[in-house]
Amino acid sequence: MTSAQQWRRLEELFHAALELDIPARAAFLEKECGDSPELRAELERLLDSSQDDTTLEGMVAGAAAATSFSLDPFQAGDTLGSYRLLEVLGQGGLSTVYLAERADDQYLAQAALKIVSRGMDSKDLRDRLCQERQILASLDHPNIARLLDGGATREGQPFFVMEYIEGQDLETYCDRRRLGINERLDLFRQVCDAVHYAHRNLVVHRDIKPGNILVTDQGIPKLLDFGIAKILDPEPGLQLAEPTLTGRRLLTPQFASPEQMRGETLTTATDVYSLGVVLYRLLTGRHPYLLARLRPSEVERKICEMQVERPSSGAVRPLRDEETRGLEAETGLEAIAQQRGTTPQRLKRRLEGDLDTIVLKALRKEPERRYATVNELSEDLRRFSEGLPVSARADSTWYRSHKFLRRHRLAAVTVATMIIVIASLVAFYTLQLARERDKAKIEASKATQAYDVLRDVFDVSNPSRSKGETVTARELLDRGAERLRQELTGQPEVQASMLEVIGGVYRQLGLSSRAETLLQESLQIRRDHFEDSSPEVAVSLNQLAELLFELKEYDRAEAMFREALAIRVATLGEEAPETLVSQNNLGAMLLTREDFDGSEEVFRQVLETRRHSASATESEIATSLNNMALVLDTRGDLAAAEPLYREALEIKRRVLGPLDLDVAAGLNNLAGMLAAAGDDEMAAPLFREALEVNRQLVGDSYPDVTYGLQSLAEIAVRQGDTGEAERLFTEALDSWSQAAPDNEAWKSVLLGLLGELLLRDGRAEAAEPMLRESLSLVSRAYPQADWRPAQAQVRLGACLMALERFSEGDNLL
């Protein structure tokens, strides 16, 4: 009996035995294999292997490993057409994929060559491979592996050659790099784009799973293996494989849709379901169903009937034995969350709500209740990432209002702060001035007027007023500032406080010029209505000085810091919390001016005062610890700085919880020091954690998000990961455009780093416009004698030399 005949006999017996329960199998094996102990042993090994992988291909491959049959028809060095085989890349029960190279020396290039395995080359499988070749020939998409060539062996056995993708499967790529939820969704949406393109070309993949999605070192996902794909509307005359018989369906149960398991007619909804399973695993690290060691009938019943657990619930449910894959059950959840740069509870909160709804809609049992297209699924994920309402959720006033507030947290905080201030003023005027009843009525009326102004301003965020239009935080703030100027002129105290609040939020949004205008107005109002030496004036001085400090207007900032400190020492005392804040600010100024001794002395004094003060909060002590660490870090004493950074971060985590902007700032500080010390492996996960916290709280429109992306990009550069660095620098520029559009100096830095990266990667033409813009921006931001314009000239000069424009390049250099 030939190998092919043995395989066919094994396959027939295997499918018959698979439908029997365990006791009945023994009698069946005795009857069919009684005269052939070898056949019985091989069949038993095949049945054992089927418990872990119930795909036909997987079962045959498992059996091949257990038996003496070889599925490898060719050896390294063999030539097929114009290609020389180098080694086996992958092997299933039906086909083998080889690493190959051109054998005719026309050009040097490696490729992947696929051919039906020996002993399995039936007409049906040959037709199926030809069909896969035809499908790949019709698809041209950056996220789908390209067909390069095709041919047949001397025996007429077809094969095809496709681009060789050197990378990791989707799950492994994400887990090893500890990618956060947003980064995983970005990759997944690229896969969706590839599948949607295939659907537009009337091709259903039918076997979408992480193993068929490889991600290159440049972070580009590639969809592979259209071996069981289906053409929805084949052209006349196109040779198609025969439909697969029931009981011998080609599928991967873990990712197969209910209709696929039942052998029903398949549509694009099948791929939507499989993508839903992939998304579930990417987000939670676990499978929607536990299918290990189940019989095929039980697998089908579970997929077709069992309701899927919400991803957010799965994120915190203890792992069962079948899910641990070698991990301890009590540590498995932590390991899964860490691979996503977070903790189990934070992962649960991240998945709750819209992501739960999106995944469960993709995994509906009924095809008609899933997303109508893959593009709709991808679009909902985009809307989730941008904080917009998703189509999978039932619309309601509450839901749209909730999404609005999540997108505009800073504006919402501004509203709340203003209302609290107004409410406090109402209480003050009403209760404290009760003895002057008439005056109290007048002042209470003023406070009510202020409240009404703000209520009207921010009522535009109400969905019933906005009519579904997106109202930005900046529009709310602009509207609020203008109304306060016009309608609260008779209430200078309230007007100054409100302008100061809005100016502070402008500053947080990176809108520095608008922030400065409002803070200047607030200071002037207080100078006009209070003594120049009053605590109220000191508040405005300090706020404005902090902004000027960020804008690098150091002379003006230092003068205001010193004036505010002098006022507070005289009116409040040397140990008052406000005085210590002013001292801290002065210490930061001295540090910036490289007066390390003076800065360290100020920071140390404030830290000692706070440690011994009964009124100092833990958060204030953490701030002082961080400042001391900062000055030591800047002086190069990293060993002394690190424990202080860590102590400050520990206090912030304990007092504020994990989801707080101050905690994210502490993570960035520690990560920055570790990166400076050359410990990128320790720094990168801290930067990622800080980035995830900032994005959850304020989205991409926040300066610390830009900083985190830039820092991770610089680490990627040092690690030689050009593709990842380019992606992160591009994201950082997008974040900058939302977070700090007034800070041109920062944009010049990002453009310079990205341009230099492209130049080193041999893409001088792409680098030139970036380096030119960087030089233009940095020349406006710094004097010509500063080193930064010179650095930008060197970069652009080197680029021009690489482009062989030697005269221009030489002048710059």
Side-chain angles (χ1 to χ4, degrees):
M1 184 180 294
T2 67
S3 294
Q5 291 171 327
Q6 287 177 301
W7 271 115
R8 293 188 185 103
R9 175 63 174 156
L10 266 177
E11 188 179 353
E12 291 171 2
L13 294 175
F14 167 75
H15 283 292
L18 204 59
E19 296 302 318
L20 303 175
D21 57 25
I22 300 299
R25 284 184 188 175
F28 175 82
L29 294 176
E30 180 64 30
K31 176 184 176 183
E32 298 294 336
C33 309
D35 58 349
S36 178
E38 179 185 351
L39 178 61
R40 176 170 182 163
E42 289 168 349
L43 184 55
E44 286 176 339
R45 282 193 288 268
L46 178 56
L47 290 168
D48 288 340
S49 73
S50 73
Q51 294 181 358
D52 295 322
D53 188 348
T54 53
T55 66
L56 175 60
E57 188 164 347
M59 289 184 283
V60 177
T67 66
S68 59
F69 299 134
S70 171
L71 301 181
D72 184 7
F74 300 100
Q75 304 297 323
D78 289 351
T79 300
L80 296 182
S82 301
Y83 291 86
R84 182 184 302 109
L85 305 185
L86 300 178
E87 60 181 276
V88 175
L89 290 175
Q91 190 173 65
L94 307 179
S95 61
T96 303
V97 180
Y98 297 87
L99 178 65
E101 64 181 4
R102 293 282 298 195
D104 54 10
D105 297 324
Q106 291 291 319
Y107 55 88
L108 296 177
Q110 291 188 333
L113 185 148
K114 185 172 184 178
I115 190 168
V116 174
S117 296
R118 174 170 292 166
M120 304 303 296
D121 50 346
S122 65
K123 179 180 184 302
D124 176 65
L125 292 179
R126 289 196 300 272
D127 289 347
R128 191 171 296 284
L129 187 134
C130 290
Q131 176 178 310
E132 181 180 2
R133 186 169 65 185
Q134 180 62 38
I135 288 172
L136 286 176
S138 69
L139 301 179
D140 182 14
H141 189 277
N143 297 114
I144 295 177
R146 291 180 296 110
L147 179 72
L148 301 179
D149 202 352
T153 66
R154 286 186 294 271
E155 295 79 15
Q157 192 174 359
F159 65 84
F160 65 84
V161 183
M162 55 189 168
E163 67 171 312
Y164 171 50
I165 311 297
E166 189 170 7
Q168 297 170 316
D169 72 79
L170 181 63
E171 285 186 359
T172 302
Y173 180 90
C174 292
D175 289 348
R176 290 187 177 175
R177 287 163 177 76
R178 296 177 179 266
L179 298 188
I181 295 301
N182 283 346
E183 295 167 302
R184 288 168 185 257
L185 293 180
D186 288 344
L187 281 173
F188 182 79
R189 290 190 62 228
Q190 292 182 59
V191 177
C192 287
D193 190 53
V195 177
H196 183 60
Y197 170 82
H199 289 177
R200 293 203 315 270
N201 284 271
L202 304 178
V203 173
V204 182
H205 190 282
R206 297 202 294 181
D207 196 23
I208 295 172
K209 55 189 177 184
N212 283 342
I213 304 165
L214 292 186
V215 186
T216 69
D217 291 339
Q218 291 73 40
I220 301 172
K222 295 277 189 175
L223 184 61
L224 311 173
D225 201 346
F226 284 75
I228 63 171
K230 173 185 178 183
I231 300 177
L232 296 177
D233 186 19
E235 297 178 6
L238 180 62
Q239 182 67 41
L240 297 181
E242 291 297 320
T244 309
L245 296 176
T246 302
R248 304 176 70 173
R249 295 189 293 274
L250 293 176
L251 51 83
T252 305
Q254 292 90 334
F255 299 89
S257 65
E259 64 271 21
Q260 206 170 359
M261 294 298 297
R262 292 190 293 261
E264 298 172 353
T265 301
L266 303 184
T267 66
T268 55
T270 292
D271 283 349
V272 171
Y273 184 94
S274 299
L275 285 168
V277 180
V278 173
L279 180 58
Y280 194 108
R281 291 175 60 104
L282 277 183
L283 297 177
T284 68
R286 59 208 311 174
H287 201 276
Y289 310 102
L290 293 178
L291 305 178
R293 295 190 289 277
L294 295 181
R295 294 174 57 200
S297 59
E298 294 171 325
V299 170
E300 180 173 330
R301 182 184 59 79
K302 206 163 192 178
I303 291 174
C304 295
E305 300 175 11
M306 178 182 170
Q307 291 304 311
V308 176
E309 182 179 32
R310 286 182 173 274
S312 59
S313 301
V316 292
R317 175 178 53 75
L319 274 74
R320 301 184 181 122
D321 291 342
E322 301 95 318
E323 298 177 285
T324 56
R325 294 175 296 176
L327 292 173
E328 294 295 331
E330 61 268 22
T331 60
L333 289 178
E334 293 291 338
I336 288 172
Q338 287 172 8
Q339 287 170 341
R340 286 147 185 81
T342 185
T343 64
Q345 285 299 327
R346 286 173 56 199
L347 179 59
K348 178 180 186 295
R349 290 195 297 271
R350 183 72 168 137
L351 301 182
E352 281 177 334
D354 285 348
L355 278 180
D356 273 343
T357 305
I358 290 169
V359 174
L360 293 181
K361 180 170 181 177
L363 292 177
R364 291 281 193 184
K365 305 296 181 189
E366 311 87 348
E368 67 275 7
R369 296 185 65 193
R370 295 174 205 148
Y371 285 99
T373 67
V374 173
N375 196 50
E376 287 185 13
L377 167 61
S378 179
E379 178 64 12
D380 253 5
L381 292 172
R382 180 193 68 79
R383 294 181 67 81
F384 165 80
S385 297
E386 296 178 7
L388 298 169
V390 302
S391 67
R393 285 286 288 273
D395 203 5
S396 68
T397 299
W398 180 91
Y399 175 59
R400 295 186 69 84
S401 299
H402 173 72
K403 298 303 291 184
F404 175 85
L405 291 175
R406 285 187 63 85
R407 292 199 306 277
H408 304 301
R409 286 183 181 87
L410 289 174
V413 170
T414 303
V415 176
T417 303
M418 292 179 175
I419 290 173
I420 290 170
V421 171
I422 297 299
S424 300
L425 288 169
V426 170
F428 173 78
Y429 288 130
T430 303
L431 300 176
Q432 300 299 322
L433 301 180
R435 288 177 305 218
E436 302 177 50
R437 191 171 305 276
D438 292 341
K439 183 177 180 181
K441 288 181 179 179
I442 294 172
E443 298 300 338
S445 175
K446 290 181 178 180
T448 302
Q449 177 194 358
Y451 180 87
D452 288 343
V453 168
L454 293 173
R455 183 184 61 186
D456 182 61
V457 166
F458 292 102
D459 190 48
V460 73
S461 65
N462 187 321
S464 65
R465 288 276 306 274
S466 64
K467 306 299 183 186
E469 300 268 339
T470 298
V471 181
T472 68
R474 179 169 175 171
E475 288 169 339
L476 289 176
L477 295 169
D478 290 347
R479 187 188 303 267
E482 188 57 35
R483 292 290 296 275
L484 289 170
R485 289 190 184 105
Q486 294 174 0
E487 302 188 28
L488 292 179
T489 54
Q491 300 184 63
E493 303 94 333
V494 177
Q495 189 181 43
S497 295
M498 295 299 95
L499 291 172
E500 182 180 89
V501 168
I502 296 181
V505 180
Y506 273 132
R507 177 183 160 202
Q508 290 292 320
L509 291 172
L511 303 172
S512 303
S513 61
R514 290 175 177 267
E516 183 178 357
T517 299
L518 266 64
L519 294 177
Q520 286 277 19
E521 288 183 36
S522 177
L523 173 61
Q524 191 58 52
I525 291 171
R526 284 178 169 156
R527 285 195 187 277
D528 291 342
H529 291 84
F530 297 96
E531 296 290 334
D532 279 347
S533 58
S534 68
E536 291 82 2
V537 170
V539 170
S540 285
L541 284 167
N542 193 70
Q543 289 278 76
L544 183 55
E546 287 180 353
L547 174 64
L548 295 173
F549 177 72
E550 291 174 1
L551 296 176
K552 298 182 174 59
E553 295 189 34
Y554 298 134
D555 290 338
R556 291 176 63 198
E558 182 174 353
M560 290 184 180
F561 278 142
R562 291 189 180 277
E563 185 179 354
L565 176 59
I567 292 172
R568 286 173 166 173
V569 169
T571 59
L572 304 174
E574 292 185 351
E575 296 188 3
E578 297 87 348
T579 304
L580 296 177
V581 168
S582 285
Q583 282 185 285
N584 261 333
N585 288 337
L586 180 59
M589 173 58 69
L590 295 173
L591 176 61
T592 300
R593 293 186 174 240
E594 299 186 356
D595 182 355
F596 300 125
D597 292 336
S599 178
E600 184 173 350
E601 181 182 351
V602 171
F603 284 147
R604 196 177 298 280
Q605 180 183 345
V606 174
L607 176 59
E608 291 303 313
T609 301
R610 282 178 169 167
R611 281 195 186 277
H612 295 92
S613 171
S615 62
T617 66
E618 286 193 283
S619 292
E620 290 171 337
I621 293 172
T623 297
S624 286
L625 286 165
N626 187 79
N627 289 338
M628 270 301 301
L630 183 62
V631 72
L632 293 169
D633 185 355
T634 307
R635 298 189 82 155
D637 192 352
L638 304 185
E642 182 174 354
L644 296 179
Y645 274 138
R646 292 191 181 278
E647 185 181 355
L649 179 58
E650 181 184 350
I651 292 173
K652 289 179 178 181
R653 284 187 191 275
R654 184 175 67 250
V655 173
L656 303 173
L659 206 63
D660 188 272
L661 292 178
D662 277 348
V663 172
L667 288 164
N668 274 332
N669 287 336
L670 178 58
M673 188 224 70
L674 292 169
D679 193 349
D680 286 340
E681 293 300 319
M682 289 289 290
L686 295 173
F687 277 131
R688 290 193 191 99
E689 183 179 355
L691 182 62
E692 186 71 16
V693 171
N694 283 322
R695 277 178 156 167
Q696 285 192 51
L697 290 175
V698 291
D700 281 346
S701 57
Y702 188 59
D704 278 6
V705 171
T706 311
Y707 168 74
L709 291 166
Q710 177 185 337
S711 300
L712 287 169
E714 291 173 349
I715 289 176
V717 170
R718 291 193 290 273
Q719 293 177 339
D721 193 344
T722 302
E724 178 70 358
E726 182 179 352
R727 183 183 70 81
L728 288 166
F729 276 134
T730 302
E731 278 193 45
L733 281 164
D734 290 341
S735 173
W736 168 89
S737 67
Q738 303 173 57
D742 292 344
N743 193 336
E744 292 187 338
W746 197 352
K747 184 181 184 183
S748 73
V749 171
L750 293 170
L751 286 170
L753 291 170
L754 179 55
E756 184 175 40
L757 176 71
L758 297 177
L759 179 60
R760 290 180 180 177
D761 197 42
R763 290 181 280 168
E765 289 186 0
E768 183 189 359
M770 296 181 184
L771 296 176
R772 284 196 180 280
E773 186 177 359
S774 175
L775 176 57
S776 174
L777 292 172
V778 79
S779 298
R780 291 205 299 264
Y782 296 96
Q784 196 61 32
D786 192 274
W787 61 271
R788 294 170 185 85
Q791 181 189 54
Q793 288 174 323
V794 167
R795 284 171 171 160
L796 180 57
C799 179
L800 293 171
M801 296 297 258
L803 293 170
E804 299 184 359
R805 287 150 62 182
F806 301 117
S807 177
E808 292 178 75
D810 183 63
N811 288 336
L812 283 168
L813 293 173

